[in-house]
Amino acid sequence: MAVAAFAAPVAAQTEIDFTLDWRFEGPAAPYFIAEDAGHFAAEGLTVEITPGQGSLDAIPKVATGAYPIGFADMASLIKFIDQNPGAPVIGVMMMYDKPAFAIVGRKSLGIEEPSDLEGKVLGAPPPDGAWAQFPVFAASTGLDVDSITVEPVGFPTREPMLAEGQVAAVTGFSFTSYLNTVRLGVDPEDMTVLLMADYGLDLYGNVIIVNTEYAAANPEVITGFLRGVAMGVKDSIADPEAAVAAIAARNPALDSALEVERLEIALRDNIVTEWVLANGIGNIDADRFVSSLDQIAMTYEFNTEPDPALYFTDAYLPTDGSLMLE
């Protein structure tokens, strides 16, 4: 009987595809360490992680069912659902309680506060999540938008143009545009990072999204995935170098020191906020979420009355205490 027990087949792992919003960089480390440390395996999952091409990239992939789970900008998700009523996609785990949307500029080019953008050239990739929120930021800070020259730029040319002085500032994720520009030789003391969340925005940042049809049919898979992510976040906090090493294992050319710094910035500024420390990772504050919808409506005309329940649900979050960071 003992022999028979040991000979029993191991339960098959569920394979699941997860699409990021961007490249394999430091802030994505929690997902890779969750895979390598066995947190996903403990949930019966084998996760294939693929890169994305911008904050708006993952939403249609998940909505069409090409991917069951993805990572995307919350405000962009809200607009997508409003423009595509009934789209089978919803947010299930808030990762960036404080969004990374930022204006990143250079002091030597005259950028130190929001009003300094007036009369300057701002580089903005059209698919960029931070650019999508710029109208709300501008309204909150009283910017004269007509006085700002907006230069559409590609993601590969955004930071080089800032480093070369072709633009005075760019829209982007704080930890991405800042570090990429410094890496090109710009003195960190010359850099200005204006986090939009520090200037009156109640918007949330990036959120894990799911295809609602897949999630309804496989709730235990989604909850297991989210529990694995929470464990990956804890591992990343405890040892950022080891977490980034999980990415480097897939990309030997990775600048690990740079990505450790990028991860540490994301953890400090976006993920491990006071609210998260008190309430755990993944959920949202209902009142703040309603306020964020009001702010989006300042510059975006909803086709239908916004309904928070269409955009986020906590139904799949684990309830066993695994979301608490302390």
Side-chain angles (χ1 to χ4, degrees), residues 87-106:
V89 59
I90 195 168
V92 294
M93 186 180 198
M94 185 57 61
M95 291 297 291
Y96 294 167
D97 181 63
K98 188 175 183 179
F101 308 134
I103 304 297
V104 178
R106 294 176 56 186

Side-chain angles (χ1 to χ4, degrees), residues 239-255:
D239 192 344
E241 290 83 3
V244 169
I247 305 178
R250 280 96 172 161
N251 178 15
L254 190 77
D255 185 338

Side-chain angles (χ1 to χ4, degrees), residues 101-103 113-115 117 122 130-143 145 148 171 194-201 203 295 298-299:
F101 308 134
I103 304 297
E113 57 185 47
S115 61
L117 291 170
L122 174 68
W131 170 242
Q133 310 319 318
F134 183 77
V136 182
F137 170 77
S140 298
T141 54
L143 282 176
V145 178
I148 302 171
T171 64
L194 304 173
L195 274 174
M196 294 183 181
D198 290 338
Y199 293 90
L201 268 72
L203 301 183
Q295 289 188 338
M298 291 168 56
T299 55

Side-chain angles (χ1 to χ4, degrees), residues 221-234:
V221 170
I222 302 302
T223 298
F225 178 85
L226 301 184
R227 184 163 31 240
V229 169
M231 298 303 294
V233 170
K234 294 176 187 180

Side-chain angles (χ1 to χ4, degrees), residues 15-261:
E15 296 183 1
I16 191 165
D17 293 325
F18 174 56
T19 178
L20 295 172
D21 63 328
W22 192 229
R23 296 189 292 252
F24 292 173
E25 295 183 338
Y31 313 114
F32 291 98
I33 195 66
E35 177 70 13
D36 288 1
H39 300 312
F40 287 142
E43 302 293 335
L45 304 176
T46 298
V47 179
E48 181 69 27
I49 306 167
T50 60
Q53 299 179 352
S55 296
L56 308 179
D57 184 54
I59 300 171
K61 290 179 179 177
V62 174
T64 59
Y67 287 82
I69 307 179
F71 189 55
D73 164 42
M74 187 75 221
S76 299
L77 174 67
I78 291 167
K79 294 176 183 178
F80 180 89
I81 293 172
D82 181 62
Q83 295 163 10
N84 299 274
V89 59
I90 195 168
V92 294
M93 186 180 198
M94 185 57 61
M95 291 297 291
Y96 294 167
D97 181 63
K98 188 175 183 179
F101 308 134
I103 304 297
V104 178
R106 294 176 56 186
K107 294 182 177 68
S108 60
L109 299 176
I111 304 298
E112 295 194 51
E113 57 185 47
S115 61
D116 293 335
L117 291 170
E118 296 176 356
K120 304 294 195 311
V121 179
L122 174 68
D128 178 46
W131 170 242
Q133 310 319 318
F134 183 77
V136 182
F137 170 77
S140 298
T141 54
L143 282 176
D144 178 5
V145 178
D146 291 337
S147 71
I148 302 171
T149 300
V150 178
E151 179 72 24
V153 299
F155 287 120
T157 60
R158 174 175 55 189
E159 288 82 20
M161 290 180 70
L162 179 60
E164 294 168 7
Q166 297 180 40
V167 296
V170 297
T171 64
F173 274 21
S174 55
F175 46 73
T176 296
S177 291
Y178 166 76
L179 286 174
N180 286 356
T181 306
V182 169
R183 190 183 188 188
L184 291 171
V186 176
D187 186 343
E189 295 298 319
D190 188 33
M191 298 295 297
T192 295
V193 178
L194 304 173
L195 274 174
M196 294 183 181
D198 290 338
Y199 293 90
L201 268 72
D202 283 332
L203 301 183
Y204 279 97
N206 276 39
V207 61
I208 292 176
I209 62 176
V210 298
N211 180 280
T212 55
E213 295 170 356
Y214 179 91
N218 303 275
E220 71 291 342
V221 170
I222 302 302
T223 298
F225 178 85
L226 301 184
R227 184 163 31 240
V229 169
M231 298 303 294
V233 170
K234 294 176 187 180
D235 285 353
S236 299
I237 294 170
D239 192 344
E241 290 83 3
V244 169
I247 305 178
R250 280 96 172 161
N251 178 15
L254 190 77
D255 185 338
S256 293
L258 180 75
E259 296 312 323
V260 167
E261 186 176 2

